[in-house]
């Protein structure tokens, strides 16, 4: 549930893509009336039907980037916004267009040869961007620009750019800069290897027959018929994994599937992860920091590694006792089935959590599934967000896309085209197997509109399968769409490197987690959650029961998130020769979570965020604190009311990364954020 990470490590800018020459050419083209074919700069995919054409288009981006950089460096006389910042903006924009587009194709294209081409192009684009960050002439040129009379966004852009240059090591001697460039390139490739091993390891288990599916919903059983040998295959991908863990009465089936899931990319990624830790540590040391954690937290809202460690401790303190109380309830329920039970294992949590909620809160997630068929939910996400933010989405008929299942849309604000997005929402072999918003192009006024893709793995998409979703899938969908809308509404400014979701990284999960709240509101749900057979809206009473049940297990869930945050942080806050990833994981888990660690598993090998977020997975919890506070400003009696949403759009989403996150939040709240709303929520009182 994330922002897909760029491969670049020295500068926390996210990845982007397009055909520069075309973008400039078409930027001034008049926007045609709504309802017609796609307008504005050509959509990024339009000229990439095969890997050769894709290579050509990405290389054209890199040439345009180089040409912009050359133009900037060649400018004579006094350094100005026009002769320096404008071409610098284009150099980064085109370089990132190549990086973002390649990264998306590397992660999603159905053809493995195409993915391999994209992987190589990602490396090339990363090399260009890393070299740019180490280019002293470019740094000095920007330093020399007088921005004293420029607007606030431009001033902040320059301030942040110069800081990024310094943090990249631009002021080091040539030999050191060379070493940094080599390390960055190695980190890019190692991160790619880490992600590829996760993508390509899609395991299955075989069941003896339909009896092993006892407890699972009927539609699930129907779509998992035995093969010719009588056996049933279950995959570790989400559409199989989540229902099995929640509903299967056969505990051994749950255990086996989770065991495979928690060993995804094992053993291949053990050494890859070690290598990533070593390289990042070395880079941090060269740049003058004690550890990578010190380096990576410095430009975040949290400011220091010490503050991050304190925040993770605070999470532990606020969750552990309550999580232990909840755990005792799980154990008590398990003892009704097995009086000799002494513990509840990881693969039993979802299952017993359901049984407890059923008994104590009269809520069974099976009841809500029939109201959540994929197509209706998708339409619901579109309708809810368009209403809140006053937008129109138009499906682009016959859009060129990388897989036939992908849908393309335009986003309109009245007569203004704001951007485009792509929905790639069902699993297929070799595809990124988590859920994320991928950047394709960040917006820049007069040059290109933002384009982004949601890459998820939801049920459905097959003929005859209604694709009944778990409510947690719906939350994921709204979460990722929260990133998407942030990226598009925040992508309307002048400076591409600070557009959209290029905010301070530990703020980026706030808009996405905020939008999850809309999935728990009966009024909102009833607009789209309609029974897949009868069309009847989800009963208000069912939603009310779900909301009450939702509070149970919250501390247990949060304590696991705190453990993951600690794992991400601790792997990076010490010299790698002291790091044994299995040992650290095994030491931390019992400190944070009362649930025993699953034996013989190595979940760090498929914890993709250990590359993209590296030490700062605490971001999710940190952003949640802010999201809960921001949600307190909305009118819960009418979440579809556009009034507060408009203010939120203007003050939090629209600025993108053009100001410090703390200021945006202060503008919206009218004060600094605090922990009150989060603590109330965690206590189950909300
Ligand atoms: Zn996210």
């Amino acid at each position: 549930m994330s922002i897909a990470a760029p491969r670049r490590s020295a500068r926390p800018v996210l990845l982007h893509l397009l055909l520069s020459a075309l973008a400039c050419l078409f930027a001034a083209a008049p926007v045609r009336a709504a309802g017609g074919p796609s307008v504005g700069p050509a959509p990024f995919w339009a000229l990439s039907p095969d890997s050769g054409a894709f290579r050509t288009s990405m290389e054209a981006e890199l040439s345009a980037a180089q040409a912009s950089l050359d133009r900037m460096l060649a400018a004579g006389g006094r350094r100005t916004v026009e002769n320096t910042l404008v071409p610098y903006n284009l150099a980064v924009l085109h370089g990132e267009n190549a990086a973002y587009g390649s990264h998306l194709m590397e992660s999603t294209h159905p053809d493995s040869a195409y993915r391999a081409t994209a992987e190589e192009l990602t490396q090339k684009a990363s090399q260009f961007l890393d070299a740019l960050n180490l280019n002293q002439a470019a740094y000095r040129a920007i330093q020399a620009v007088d921005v004293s009379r420029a607007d606030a966004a431009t001033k902040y852009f320059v301030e942040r750019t110069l800081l990024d240059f310094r943090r990249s090591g631009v002021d080091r001697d040539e030999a050191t800069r060379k070493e940094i460039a080599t390390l960055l390139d190695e980190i890019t490739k190692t991160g790619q290897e880490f992600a590829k091993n996760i993508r390509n390891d899609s395991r299955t288990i075989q069941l003896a027959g339909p009896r092993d599916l006892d407890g699972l919903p009927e539609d699930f059983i129907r779509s998992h018929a035995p093969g010719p040998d009588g056996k049933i295959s279950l995959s570790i991908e989400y559409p199989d994994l989540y229902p099995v863990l929640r509903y299967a009465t056969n505990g051994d089936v749950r255990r086996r599937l989770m065991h495979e899931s928690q060993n995804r990319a094992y053993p291949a990624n053990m050494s890859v992860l070690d290598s990533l830790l070593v390289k990042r540590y070395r880079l941090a040391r060269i740049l003058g920091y004690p550890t990578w954690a010190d380096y990576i937290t410095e430009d975040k809202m949290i400011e220091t590694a010490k503050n991050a460690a304190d925040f993770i401790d605070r999470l532990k303190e606020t969750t552990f006792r309550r999580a232990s109380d909840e755990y005792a309830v799980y154990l008590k329920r398990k003892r009704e089935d097995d009086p000799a039970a002494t513990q509840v294992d990881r693969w039993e949590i979802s299952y017993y959590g359901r049984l407890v909620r059923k008994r104590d809160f009269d809520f069974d997630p099976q009841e809500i599934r029939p109201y959540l068929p994929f197509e209706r939910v998708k339409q619901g996400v579109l309708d809810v967000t368009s209403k809140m933010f006053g937008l129109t989405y138009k499906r682009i008929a016959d859009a060129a896309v990388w897989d036939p299942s992908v849908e393309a849309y335009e986003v309109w604000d009245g007569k203004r085209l704001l951007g485009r997005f792509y929905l790639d929402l069902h699993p297929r072999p070799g595809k990124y197997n988590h859920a994320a918003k991928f950047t394709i192009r960040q917006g820049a006024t007069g040059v290109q509109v933002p384009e982004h893709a949601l890459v998820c793995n939801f049920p459905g998409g097959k003929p005859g399968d209604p694709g009944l979703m778990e409510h947690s899938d719906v939350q994921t969908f709204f979460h990722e769409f929260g990133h998407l809308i942030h990226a598009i509404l925040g992508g309307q400014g002048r400076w591409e490197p600070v557009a959209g979701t290029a905010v301070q990284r530990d703020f980026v999960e706030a808009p996405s987690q905020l939008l999850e709240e809309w999935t728990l509101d009966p009024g909102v749900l009833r607009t789209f959650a309609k029974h897949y057979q009868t069309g009847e809206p989800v009963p208000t009473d069912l939603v009310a029961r779900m909301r009450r049940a939702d509070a149970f297990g919250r501390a247990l869930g949060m304590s696991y998130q705190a453990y993951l945050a600690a794992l991400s942080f601790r792997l990076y806050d010490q010299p790698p020769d002291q790091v044994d990833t299995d040992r650290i994981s095994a030491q931390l888990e019992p400190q944070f979570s009362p649930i025993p660690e699953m034996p013989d598993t190595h979940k760090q090998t498929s914890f993709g965020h250990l590359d993209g977020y590296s030490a700062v997975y605490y971001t999710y919890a940190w952003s949640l604190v802010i999201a809960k506070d921001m949600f307190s400003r909305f009118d819960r009696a009418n979440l579809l009311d556009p009034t507060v949403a408009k203010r939120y759009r203007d003050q939090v989403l629209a600025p993108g990364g053009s100001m410090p996150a703390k200021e945006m939040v202060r503008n919206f709240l009218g004060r600094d954020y605090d922990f009150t709303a989060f603590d109330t929520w965690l206590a189950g009182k909300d």
Side-chain angles (χ1 to χ4, degrees), residues 216-269:
L216 278 146
E218 241 175 79
D219 61 285
F220 186 97
I221 295 171
R222 265 201 308 277
S223 60
H224 290 76
D229 56 357
K231 296 212 156 83
I232 293 167
S233 179
L234 289 180
S235 147
I236 59 173
E237 304 306 342
Y238 297 157
D240 279 6
L241 181 70
Y242 291 153
V244 167
L245 290 178
R246 182 164 281 164
Y247 303 112
T249 46
N250 184 331
D252 200 50
V253 169
R254 278 184 268 116
R255 186 193 58 76
R256 285 170 58 208
L257 195 62
M258 188 172 229
H259 188 267
E260 293 305 320
S261 162
Q262 297 220 341
N263 278 313
R264 192 197 282 264
Y266 178 82
N269 265 350

Side-chain angles (χ1 to χ4, degrees), residues 326-387:
E326 288 176 351
Y327 178 78
V329 178
Y330 281 76
L331 182 56
K332 195 161 164 253
R333 175 61 190 82
K334 184 179 169 185
R335 282 187 178 141
E336 290 172 21
D337 297 348
D338 174 9
T342 56
Q343 63 182 48
V344 186
D345 284 301
R346 179 65 62 194
W347 61 92
E348 298 172 319
I349 289 297
S350 182
Y351 179 75
Y352 280 110
R354 179 173 71 87
L355 296 184
V356 170
R357 289 184 187 95
K358 195 170 173 175
R359 189 190 58 195
D360 296 352
F361 301 94
D362 190 25
F363 173 71
D364 184 342
Q366 280 228 47
E367 278 182 78
I368 202 162
R369 275 170 64 92
Y371 297 95
L372 302 172
F374 170 78
E375 285 296 336
R376 282 193 198 275
V377 171
K378 183 183 77 185
Q379 196 54 48
V381 172
L382 299 177
D383 292 345
V384 165
T385 53
S386 73
K387 188 157 188 213

Side-chain angles (χ1 to χ4, degrees), residues 369-534:
R369 275 170 64 92
Y371 297 95
L372 302 172
F374 170 78
E375 285 296 336
R376 282 193 198 275
V377 171
K378 183 183 77 185
Q379 196 54 48
V381 172
L382 299 177
D383 292 345
V384 165
T385 53
S386 73
K387 188 157 188 213
M388 278 175 74
F389 298 114
L391 303 171
T392 309
Y393 306 131
K394 295 201 173 94
R395 176 95 186 260
I396 309 173
D398 307 322
V401 286
W402 53 95
D403 184 84
S405 68
V406 176
E407 295 178 352
Y409 292 82
E410 290 171 344
V411 182
W412 291 82
D413 187 354
K415 289 185 172 165
R416 194 166 147 235
L417 176 72
L418 292 188
R420 301 187 184 93
F421 64 85
Y422 301 81
L423 301 179
D424 183 349
L425 299 178
H426 305 293
R428 64 177 168 268
K431 178 182 144 176
Y432 178 78
N433 38 38
H434 197 49
K437 189 278 293 171
F438 281 67
T439 302
I440 300 172
R441 299 167 178 168
Q442 293 281 35
T445 318
V447 185
Q448 63 189 22
V449 296
E451 293 194 26
H452 296 264
L454 286 200
V455 182
C456 302
N457 290 278
F458 294 134
K462 285 176 263 175
D465 178 4
L468 301 187
M469 297 171 85
E470 295 289 309
H471 184 262
S472 55
D473 292 325
V474 179
Q475 280 175 310
T476 300
F477 204 161
F478 274 75
H479 176 108
E480 300 307 337
F481 210 86
H483 285 310
L484 183 95
I485 212 74
H486 184 194
I488 288 177
L489 295 177
Q492 309 299 320
R494 188 178 188 190
W495 307 117
E496 186 268 2
V498 293
T501 40
V503 288
Q504 281 171 298
R505 188 61 177 260
D506 47 4
F507 176 70
V508 83
E509 298 295 339
S512 53
Q513 294 185 102
L514 176 74
L515 204 57
E516 288 182 40
E517 302 283 351
W518 273 250
T519 70
L520 288 164
D521 182 77
V524 173
L525 272 177
R526 281 173 66 83
T527 63
F528 66 87
K530 295 178 180 167
H531 197 281
Y532 78 110
Q533 285 161 328
T534 65

